Amino acid sequence: MAAIRGPVRRMRPALAAAALSFLALAAATPAKADLRLCNKTDGTISVAIGYKAADGWRSEGWWNIGGSKCGTLLTGALASRYYYLYAVDSQHGGEWGGKAFMCTRRKMFTIGGVENCVARGYERTGFFEVDTAEQRSWTVHLYQPTQKGNGAK
């Protein structure tokens, strides 16, 4: 084993204090809280979300999430207990849906309100409910889709 030659330098007190402050700040930073969706199929799926916002019900879409990948639908701490999702696998067929009807459209969208979707020029789509149990962060895993029901687990 070779000997280390040269002077041994000590960390300056100010630099050491700065390093400790950085480490303390990093440790105090809260964990990231998001609503995430993991696609457990081998195809890309398109996902829409519905939720109660400060100004009423809102639906948004589309997030395209590749096979065996996860994506973030909402960033930050979750403000509600219940969220609603609809997903479709247009490559292989099938959907994840439910009985909570909200408005969607084929292109990217943010739509306020859930009433009179068709009269307002949107599609009326059945979303399935996700109960986050009032957690700050939640991940939904989607497995094989079904044409008529809820494929979420």
Side-chain angles (χ1 to χ4, degrees), residues 7-79:
V8 176
R9 294 189 182 177
R10 293 189 177 198
M11 190 178 281
R12 293 184 179 161
L15 184 57
L20 287 174
S21 295
F22 174 76
L23 290 174
L25 180 61
T29 302
K32 188 172 183 181
D34 298 325
L35 178 62
R36 296 176 44 81
L37 184 134
C38 292
N39 174 7
K40 299 295 188 173
T41 73
D42 60 356
T44 299
I45 62 174
S46 298
V47 181
I49 185 171
Y51 57 93
K52 183 99 180 216
D55 59 347
W57 286 100
R58 180 177 298 155
S59 55
E60 297 181 30
W62 297 99
W63 286 264
N64 293 315
I65 302 174
S68 301
K69 305 259 188 234
C70 297
T72 300
L73 304 179
L74 295 173
T75 57
L78 300 180

Side-chain angles (χ1 to χ4, degrees), residues 115-144:
E115 66 288 328
N116 303 317
C117 297
V118 175
R120 295 190 297 149
Y122 303 119
E123 295 177 31
R124 184 175 181 256
T125 305
F127 287 57
F128 67 89
E129 183 178 88
V130 174
D131 181 352
T132 66
E134 297 182 352
Q135 298 295 310
R136 295 175 38 86
S137 173
W138 197 262
T139 300
V140 176
H141 299 272
L142 293 184
Y143 295 88
Q144 294 298 67

Side-chain angles (χ1 to χ4, degrees), residues 41 43-47 62 86-97 142-151:
T41 73
T44 299
I45 62 174
S46 298
V47 181
W62 297 99
Y86 173 78
V88 62
D89 182 342
S90 53
Q91 292 174 316
H92 300 102
E95 66 182 357
W96 295 263
L142 293 184
Y143 295 88
Q144 294 298 67
T146 61
Q147 288 293 340
K148 60 185 172 190
N150 178 352

